[in-house]
Amino acid sequence: MKITVIGTGYVGLPSGAGFAELGHDVICVDNDLAKVALLRSGQVTLYEAGLEELMMRNVASGRLRFSSSMADSVPQADVVIIAVGTPPHPITKEADMKYIRAAAIELADHLSGYTVVAIKSTVPVGTGDEIEALIHLKNPEAQFDMVSLPEFLREGYAVYDFFHPDRLVIGTDSEVARNTIAKLYSSFGPETKRLFVNRRSSEAIKYASNAFLAVKIHYINEMANFCEKTGADVTEVAKGMGMDERIGNRFLNPGPGFGGSCFPKDTIALVTMAQKNGVKMSLIEATVEGNTKRKQQVAKRILEAPGSGDVHKIAVLGLAFKNGTDDCRESPSLEIINHLLDAGISIVAYDPKAMKVAKQIYGDRIEFASDMYAALKDADVLAILTEWDEFRDLDLHKAAQLMNKLNIVDCRNILNPSLARANGFSYSSIGRA
Ligand code: UGA
């Protein structure tokens, strides 16, 4: 099949490369000319495990191409997938639809023959109807069906998730469109569940899923606070809870709060959408509020690291919002660093992948170290804020020799507490003594 993917971000690029690997003929379109030029020259514009190899292989086979022109890519497409960003609107806090609308208006003129137009971006319930009307208005002759095709990829695992989805949710009432999308994924076996629903349900499933996971994280973070006060160990509590299949063991890792380009914006957008519809979503409202406070609480904990006395310099390991990505959007680490900077602390930071992105944000307001040990030199506290595997292997003996004062605040519970203490550190983590 011929596929055009509009938007080459964290969703569009892995999906486009994935569809090419499945044997489809894919053109990824972006209106950022510089980005398209980089992609055409073989450079991957974001970090995602396995993406570079996947892209190179499919570019070489001729199944994956990049373009800035809808005129060159939309007319021949069987399926046009919209995967542009829906960042929070600066005033309303709802998903900002300007990129979706702009893409729809531009593609409308180029639709030729029957085409399925599928929205992969996370969009408010009812967006499919709005965009369908917009395309009709712009091009009354166009023969197309609008489909909601929400994406459940996790950053850092996007390539893996593309090929191993838990489920495919396909929102449309059109039989032809259902069959077209089913064909798109026909190489996935029966183990991949396909759920055909109406378009609005499909749009709602995406928000409902992300908000539920965000609530789960907020829940375990509050449970961690409770464990700290009562002498329980949240890791053991999460393990015990997770053994109940009704609860499940995933997304029960406590930490510095959830971040990224999805959970923070989607929870706020859902609360706002619900309010507009006269519905109160108190659980999600509490999650949004709790997650905001979480970062202040964690910053305070770092500043008050036991035994630290005066804190002048803090080594931060981890800038990305989670491991496996260079994405720093809504990263708890950056928000915590901002609180620490406000308190007059000098920060030296290291992240295996997100240094370039963070340098653009901070300039020379913080120091960037060349590796994790360089970050520790003369630091009064080590704060671990992202759960990169290489931090798990930190040589604590070496760390103790480098630091000025021996304090670790492990906000991802990745170090061995007894080993840290045996090396002379005052060690604190989340939700356990
Ligand atoms: C999330 C969803 O997991 C994907 O299914 C969805 O497709 C995506 O949003 C999206 O809407 O595009 P992502 O934002 O990449 O994916 O990251 P997650 O792995 O879900 O993590 C989100 C945040 O929660 C991170 O800050 C992470 O550190 C935090 N988290 C996650 C925890 O603090 N504890 C956990 O147990 C799990």
Side-chain angles (χ1 to χ4, degrees):
M1 293 172 85
K2 292 192 187 315
I3 320 289
T4 294
V5 179
I6 300 173
T8 58
Y10 285 91
V11 170
L13 206 51
S15 304
F19 284 125
E21 180 83 0
L22 297 182
H24 301 300
D25 191 356
V26 180
I27 305 184
C28 290
V29 183
D30 205 295
N31 59 8
D32 182 337
L33 301 181
K35 209 170 174 187
V36 172
L38 284 173
L39 290 165
R40 279 182 163 168
S41 71
Q43 292 186 58
V44 186
T45 43
L46 50 90
Y47 175 73
E48 193 61 63
L51 182 59
E52 189 166 358
E53 301 84 315
L54 185 71
M55 276 176 53
M56 294 311 137
R57 191 163 58 242
N58 286 284
V59 166
S61 73
R63 285 195 303 269
L64 179 62
R65 285 171 292 152
F66 302 98
S67 171
S68 55
S69 160
M70 294 220 198
D72 289 347
S73 54
V74 171
Q76 69 269 31
D78 301 304
V79 182
V80 175
I81 294 174
I82 301 178
V84 297
T86 48
H89 188 280
I91 298 162
T92 64
K93 304 293 174 209
E94 290 174 74
D96 193 338
M97 297 294 294
K98 70 177 175 207
Y99 301 113
I100 298 269
R101 290 191 189 112
I105 289 170
E106 198 182 336
L107 74 87
D109 283 338
H110 303 294
L111 289 171
S112 164
Y114 174 77
T115 314
V116 168
V117 179
I119 300 186
K120 256 202 185 303
S121 315
T122 303
V123 289
V125 180
T127 296
D129 299 6
E130 184 203 323
I131 298 303
E132 186 176 63
L134 199 64
I135 296 177
H136 269 309
L137 197 70
K138 191 82 202 314
N139 181 357
E141 306 300 315
Q143 293 166 35
F144 70 102
D145 276 314
M146 246 0 264
V147 173
S148 161
L149 195 60
E151 186 49 74
F152 302 101
L153 302 178
R154 294 163 301 164
E155 279 183 33
Y157 301 88
V159 171
Y160 177 86
D161 286 351
F162 180 87
F163 294 105
H164 306 89
D166 288 329
R167 80 290 208 195
L168 298 169
V169 175
I170 299 144
T172 174
D173 291 332
S174 154
E175 193 67 32
V176 189
R178 282 183 181 196
N179 292 339
T180 308
I181 298 294
K183 217 169 125 196
L184 189 63
Y185 290 102
S186 59
S187 37
F188 288 154
E191 69 285 357
T192 304
K193 290 168 238 150
R194 279 113 166 131
L195 181 68
F196 294 97
V197 290
N198 86 40
R199 202 160 58 200
R200 285 179 180 241
S201 303
S202 171
E203 290 164 343
I205 285 170
K206 173 67 191 192
Y207 279 103
S209 304
N210 273 5
F212 188 83
L213 293 171
V215 167
K216 206 171 174 189
I217 297 165
H218 173 59
Y219 181 89
I220 201 67
N221 282 341
E222 286 203 328
M223 200 50 71
N225 294 343
F226 175 74
C227 289
E228 280 166 20
K229 295 287 180 200
T230 54
D233 178 334
V234 74
T235 318
E236 292 175 354
V237 172
K239 203 170 174 182
M241 286 170 64
M243 284 176 176
D244 183 332
E245 284 180 9
R246 294 169 302 175
I247 298 173
N249 60 10
R250 296 171 73 186
F251 277 70
L252 284 177
N253 297 317
F258 57 78
S261 65
C262 305
F263 289 176
K265 101 172 149 60
D266 293 347
T267 43
I268 294 176
L270 184 51
V271 165
T272 316
M273 257 188 289
Q275 277 166 357
K276 256 173 101 174
N277 286 282
V279 177
K280 185 161 176 62
M281 291 201 148
S282 52
L283 195 57
I284 305 171
E285 283 177 24
T287 298
V288 170
E289 198 194 325
N291 197 56
T292 304
K293 286 196 184 140
R294 180 93 190 145
K295 284 151 296 192
Q296 289 162 4
Q297 290 160 358
V298 170
K300 189 163 176 276
R301 173 189 293 227
I302 295 168
L303 284 169
E304 292 169 358
S308 58
D310 281 345
V311 175
H312 301 288
K313 187 171 179 176
I314 294 181
V316 167
L317 291 187
L319 295 161
F321 81 97
K322 63 172 188 176
N323 68 341
T325 180
D326 61 353
D327 196 346
C328 290
R329 284 177 291 176
E330 300 281 333
S331 171
S333 175
L334 301 200
E335 287 188 47
I336 291 163
I337 288 175
N338 291 342
H339 287 301
L340 300 176
L341 287 174
D342 288 346
I345 305 292
S346 305
I347 303 291
V348 192
Y350 170 73
D351 186 287
K353 295 289 176 201
M355 301 283 267
K356 196 171 149 203
V357 177
K359 275 179 188 166
Q360 283 164 1
I361 298 168
Y362 284 109
D364 58 7
R365 287 195 298 134
I366 68 172
E367 208 181 306
F368 291 94
S370 53
D371 62 49
M372 60 178 167
Y373 295 105
L376 299 183
K377 198 164 176 333
D378 300 330
D380 300 311
V381 180
L382 158 60
I384 301 179
L385 294 175
T386 312
E387 71 283 32
W388 286 102
D389 277 345
E390 72 173 75
F391 301 160
R392 292 178 198 271
D393 299 330
L394 182 74
D395 179 338
L396 288 156
H397 179 68
K398 191 169 164 185
Q401 288 171 332
L402 288 166
M403 288 178 67
N404 182 39
K405 291 178 186 162
L406 301 191
N407 296 297
I408 295 178
V409 185
D410 178 0
C411 302
R412 297 283 188 168
N413 293 2
I414 58 174
L415 298 183
N416 179 327
S418 354
L419 209 58
R421 290 182 184 125
N423 278 283
F425 283 97
S426 158
Y427 172 86
S428 76
S429 55
I430 304 283
R432 49 190 195 176

